Amino acid sequence: MITWGCQMNVYDSARMTDVLRPLGYTPVTDPAAAEMIILNTCHIRDRAAEKVFSELGRLRLIKDEREAQGHKTVLAVAGCVAQAEGEQILKRAPYVDIVLGPQTYHRLPEMVAKAARAGGSVIETDFPAEQKFDFLPEAEAPQTVENVTAFLTVQEGCDKFCSFCVVPYTRGAEASRPVASVLAEARRIVASGVRELTLLGQNVNAYHGEGPDGGTWTLAQLAYALAEIPGLERIRYTTSHPRDMGDDLIAAHHDLPALMPFLHLPVQSGSDSILRAMNRGHTADDYRRLVDRLRTARPDLALSSDFIIGHPGETDADFEATMQLIRDVGFAQAFSFKYSIRPGTPAAGAPLQVKEALKDERLYALQALLREQQDAFNDSVIGDVAPVLFTGHGRKPGQMVGRSPWLQPVHVDGPADLVGTIRPVLITQRLSNSLVGNLVEECVPA
């Protein structure tokens, strides 16, 4: 299983593995030893399709070599590039056996059987009426002791149709899993030793799943129910849209200790004219006011965001408005990208495309400011004691690594049995992208 892209693709890959287990498949790490190779793709980044075809060329060599030795190998392309490109994949790479979109992987066993019977290629890129989660087997428990965090998809799709984004075309309309299904999977995951769950969705805070009473639950209601599961210490969720941040979810950040004080809330731009062109449905001041409400509810809340630089029509004044929003809000972390054309999206044919050299210049300045803020946030916790959930071994002998409530990697020297525990750590140093600390009981008082 080769997985590219977002956390949801990581979750989808795990569930495809679950679907294939009843057919006798088990995961391997070496493609040359695989009877089936699945490339689970992402369409968000620039030139995504070309990267897929390049990888398929490499995988074809493995497939040909195995088949020359008498070993059948099924080659499948899944995910958002499969959804977007569909027939084009089979035209350019006819050696691919299966092409399946992200809404159809519950049908994977049937596709494998069809490919075997017909001896040709199978394509499944519809948006079926049934919810795929209703047809999936129970998720397998994590296979390693160090897997103390896990992803859980609760919502898929998007109805927002931002001008730059392919998600509504590759993932479909917004759909939410029933509460009972989410809670049942969460209990199984936690029973296996997981201590932190990250709830996933393209617009996860638009969650509107059917509740046990037949009514519709919000993400906040789901979070309250999840927090009651014994052994579940931490809850996170991503990715959110400012338009879907309801009053009850803001209140949950105040009420629920298990809901971590770190929120990824993409704004994309600080310019109202660009936000209108992006079809975001909010203004820069709407975002500022929302952040103020969130920080009032949870004063230690740290924010992450997404920024797209060089959207068609972006002027110097628009870019400066984005820089000013960053200065006003302050971010602990952020992801920033140059706008790149996605065929079929409204912005692809928009006038006033920004020149690449200007995008580069603006992105460099924006990332410098964001980096300055990230470093300042990490510096601000030096000398504090933070509860760290330990997730595994570090790179150095005797070193363990975990995560702070604000999602910062934290390294300490300590025993292996720290894994799966939450321990107080005195933060002593900031590195480029992580923190260093000491277990509190090992600190010598000044």
Side-chain angles (χ1 to χ4, degrees), residues 124-179:
E124 289 272 2
T125 54
D126 296 332
F127 290 107
E130 76 270 12
Q131 284 290 310
K132 71 182 181 186
F133 294 104
D134 295 339
F135 294 86
L136 292 172
E138 290 188 0
E140 285 282 320
Q143 299 298 304
T144 64
V145 68
E146 293 192 358
N147 196 348
V148 296
T149 67
F151 298 126
L152 176 56
T153 293
V154 301
Q155 182 271 345
E156 282 197 271
C158 183
D159 297 341
K160 302 299 188 290
F161 288 92
C162 296
S163 65
F164 52 83
C165 186
V166 297
V167 166
Y169 312 101
T170 59
R171 288 277 181 172
E174 290 177 356
S176 299
R177 295 177 65 182
V179 171

Side-chain angles (χ1 to χ4, degrees), residues 385-403:
V385 175
V388 173
L389 172 60
F390 286 94
T391 56
H393 294 269
R395 294 180 180 177
K396 299 177 182 178
Q399 186 184 67
M400 305 301 293
V401 65
R403 293 277 182 174

Side-chain angles (χ1 to χ4, degrees), residues 19-209:
V19 166
L20 290 169
R21 287 184 196 278
L23 301 186
Y25 287 98
T26 56
V28 296
T29 57
D30 181 7
E35 295 176 309
M36 183 173 188
I37 302 171
I38 302 176
L39 178 56
N40 194 10
T41 62
C42 175
H43 206 277
I44 296 299
R45 300 291 178 261
D46 191 21
R47 298 179 60 82
E50 291 308 313
K51 292 174 184 175
V52 169
F53 287 116
S54 175
E55 180 70 3
L56 285 175
R58 184 182 73 87
L59 296 176
R60 181 186 186 179
L61 298 177
I62 295 173
K63 178 181 172 78
D64 288 347
E65 183 174 345
R66 279 182 52 83
E67 294 190 352
Q69 298 169 357
H71 303 301
K72 175 70 176 174
T73 301
V74 176
L75 180 56
V77 181
C80 291
V81 173
Q83 184 70 43
E85 299 295 329
E87 295 283 356
Q88 188 64 24
I89 291 175
L90 297 182
K91 288 179 181 178
R92 291 184 57 179
Y95 48 88
V96 170
D97 300 289
I98 299 172
V99 177
L100 66 151
Q103 302 304 325
T104 61
Y105 64 70
H106 59 292
R107 299 178 179 175
L108 192 51
E110 179 185 347
M111 297 178 217
V112 173
K114 281 183 180 179
R117 287 196 306 266
S121 299
V122 175
I123 181 169
E124 289 272 2
T125 54
D126 296 332
F127 290 107
E130 76 270 12
Q131 284 290 310
K132 71 182 181 186
F133 294 104
D134 295 339
F135 294 86
L136 292 172
E138 290 188 0
E140 285 282 320
Q143 299 298 304
T144 64
V145 68
E146 293 192 358
N147 196 348
V148 296
T149 67
F151 298 126
L152 176 56
T153 293
V154 301
Q155 182 271 345
E156 282 197 271
C158 183
D159 297 341
K160 302 299 188 290
F161 288 92
C162 296
S163 65
F164 52 83
C165 186
V166 297
V167 166
Y169 312 101
T170 59
R171 288 277 181 172
E174 290 177 356
S176 299
R177 295 177 65 182
V179 171
S181 171
V182 173
L183 293 180
E185 185 171 345
R187 291 187 187 103
R188 289 193 298 270
I189 292 172
V190 173
S192 74
V194 164
R195 293 292 169 260
E196 176 182 289
L197 276 181
T198 300
L199 310 180
L200 300 180
Q202 267 80 36
N203 281 321
V204 69
N205 59 340
Y207 177 83
H208 53 277

